[in-house]
Amino acid sequence: MATVSLKNVDKSFGNVHVIKGASVDIADQEFVALVGPSGCGKSTLLRTIAGLEEVTGGEIEIGGRVVNNVSPSDRQVAMVFQSYALYPHMTVRENMSFGLEVTGHPKAEIAPKVDRAAGILRLEELMDRKPKQLSGGQRQRVAIGRAIVRDPGVFLFDEPLSNLDAELRVQMRVELALLHQELSATMIYVTHDQIEAMTLADKIVVLHGGVIEQVGAPMELYDRPANDFVAGFIGSPKMNMFAADVAAQAGWLSNEASSAVKFGVRPEHMVRAGHGLAGQVFHVEHLGGQTLTHLKLASGHEFVLSEPGAGGDAAGDTVHLRPAEGCLHAFDANGLAVR
Ligand SMILES: Nc1ncnc2c1ncn2[C@@H]1O[C@H](COP(=O)(O)OP(=O)(O)OP(=O)(O)O)[C@@H](O)[C@H]1O
Ligand SMILES: [Mg+2]
């Protein structure tokens, strides 16, 4: 059972406090996406789970066992790095075998493991090539293959697809989803990519400045963000934010008193209305199946409307909008969601 539990994990580098009291429980075979802005501590948190960094405080449990003092090779985890980190002078087969050879596994045991991983990742035809004779996607598959042969309970991925072009990313995304089903392993996956996080993850962990802001299923974070940070971070294009007086003047609010100081509406949840918030179009982006209309309030405050199809607005047009039923998010002075 490869569960992973972080209990109040702290990590400092000297006087730089990078991870601040992170607690999260990850179930066996769960696929968890770890997301957050650059520098928020995603790689650091992953490396503490791998044992490549020592924690400054708190506990890490893998499979119910505290591993704070367990060496990386004895943690039942395998990490796949963004840079692949393949040995250039070794063939694909040698790259995949090497880790098991140095840990003393007998050759007769290694070969079938490597062949199985090669089969899963469709690398059979490439086993005698060197990394420089492979495409980016093929190299990434070798890096994943090297993790698979170790038969870990937990896979740790640090932005494994970020060096690939858009088309290959989409293809590898699907392959990773299938791989997760096939291997029945726990996976913790760091990504910048919203779509990867939303589509692959059973659970998303949002990290911000070393603090876990929210943990939840993708649609839970999308529908019920706990605070304005998560609201703005999950979803693309970003949620539009409006001051309370703007929302009130637009007639969006009912009369009951509320502690809300600002309101959010996702671009795809703004609908056209006979009256309501008046925005002036200043730019239109046609994406083919979808149109993004960029608007400004009289105050200069900008927001975006996302609609299916090829919208017919032109710069200078005025559009009246309201939030779709049940799609207005309210936040208090501390940024916490008000429901
Ligand atoms: N060895 C180190 N010594 C000192 N500071 C470090 C060290 N490693 C990371 N940091 C700092 O810790 C913070 C978090 O870094 P980390 O690499 O975990 O961020 P990240 O979320 O993975 O960012 P990115 O999305 O850019 O990869 C950064 O401010 C970084 O400068
Ligand atoms: Mg990183």
Side-chain angles (χ1 to χ4, degrees), residues 278-282 294-303:
Q280 190 173 48
V281 178
F282 68 91
H294 296 258
L295 303 117
K296 260 184 197 159
L297 300 180
S299 63
H301 182 76
E302 295 180 9
F303 63 102

Side-chain angles (χ1 to χ4, degrees), residues 42-43 158-159 190:
K42 303 180 295 295
S43 296
D158 196 352
E159 309 214 36
V190 170

Side-chain angles (χ1 to χ4, degrees), residues 19 34-37 40-42 45 205-212 229:
I19 302 295
L34 182 54
V35 303
C40 72
K42 303 180 295 295
L45 194 57
V205 175
V206 182
L207 195 65
H208 178 214
V211 173
I212 294 180
F229 177 79

Side-chain angles (χ1 to χ4, degrees), residues 34 36-39 42-43 46 79-84 140 156-164 169 188-193 196:
L34 182 54
S38 188
K42 303 180 295 295
S43 296
L46 210 61
M79 186 145 165
V80 178
F81 299 92
Q82 175 180 3
S83 59
Y84 318 146
Q140 189 52 275
L156 305 173
F157 293 100
D158 196 352
E159 309 214 36
L161 308 187
S162 58
N163 286 333
L164 305 180
R169 281 185 84 115
I188 307 178
Y189 187 92
V190 170
T191 181
H192 267 102
D193 188 305
E196 276 174 30

Side-chain angles (χ1 to χ4, degrees), residues 80-339:
V80 178
F81 299 92
Q82 175 180 3
S83 59
Y84 318 146
L86 300 179
Y87 299 108
H89 58 288
M90 291 185 189
T91 64
V92 169
R93 178 177 295 282
E94 288 162 349
N95 262 287
M96 286 168 65
S97 310
F98 185 68
L100 294 178
E101 281 169 10
V102 296
T103 47
H105 288 70
K107 279 213 152 52
E109 194 183 297
I110 297 173
K113 284 182 193 281
V114 170
D115 289 337
R116 172 175 165 264
I120 292 172
L121 295 165
R122 291 178 287 105
L123 288 168
E124 293 106 326
E125 313 286 299
L126 308 172
M127 297 304 277
D128 296 322
R129 293 204 198 168
K130 301 272 175 68
K132 69 169 187 294
Q133 299 167 305
L134 302 175
S135 71
Q138 290 166 340
R139 282 179 208 170
Q140 189 52 275
R141 287 215 293 271
V142 178
I144 294 171
R146 219 169 34 175
I148 291 176
V149 297
R150 296 185 46 205
D151 221 354
V154 184
F155 284 83
L156 305 173
F157 293 100
D158 196 352
E159 309 214 36
L161 308 187
S162 58
N163 286 333
L164 305 180
D165 65 39
E167 194 181 340
L168 205 49
R169 281 185 84 115
V170 173
Q171 195 183 324
M172 285 298 291
R173 191 170 83 211
V174 175
E175 290 189 13
L176 274 170
L178 298 177
L179 192 67
H180 177 236
Q181 288 171 15
E182 185 154 352
L183 296 177
S184 313
T186 307
M187 295 190 170
I188 307 178
Y189 187 92
V190 170
T191 181
H192 267 102
D193 188 305
Q194 291 270 335
I195 299 179
E196 276 174 30
M198 293 296 286
T199 57
L200 286 171
D202 299 308
K203 188 147 103 183
I204 298 179
V205 175
V206 182
L207 195 65
H208 178 214
V211 173
I212 294 180
E213 296 275 355
Q214 192 172 1
V215 177
M219 287 311 287
E220 203 173 310
L221 266 58
Y222 177 85
D223 288 332
R224 290 186 300 283
N227 55 48
D228 57 351
F229 177 79
V230 175
F233 193 80
I234 299 290
S236 180
K238 273 167 80 93
M239 184 184 282
N240 298 307
M241 290 291 180
F242 302 97
D245 59 333
V246 173
Q249 276 162 31
W252 288 359
L253 308 182
S254 46
N255 287 328
E256 70 256 35
S258 161
S259 57
V261 300
K262 65 176 175 177
F263 290 85
V265 189
R266 297 196 181 280
E268 59 276 28
H269 293 157
M270 309 272 300
V271 294
R272 290 169 192 262
H275 51 87
L277 190 73
Q280 190 173 48
V281 178
F282 68 91
H283 185 59
V284 180
E285 292 179 299
H286 297 287
L287 306 184
Q290 180 194 9
T291 301
L292 300 181
T293 306
H294 296 258
L295 303 117
K296 260 184 197 159
L297 300 180
S299 63
H301 182 76
E302 295 180 9
F303 63 102
V304 180
L305 162 67
S306 170
E307 293 170 306
D313 298 302
D317 289 355
T318 294
V319 178
H320 292 269
L321 298 156
R322 62 174 172 78
E325 188 67 34
C327 292
L328 184 64
H329 299 261
F331 303 96
D332 69 14
N334 296 316
L336 297 180
V338 178
R339 302 195 208 284

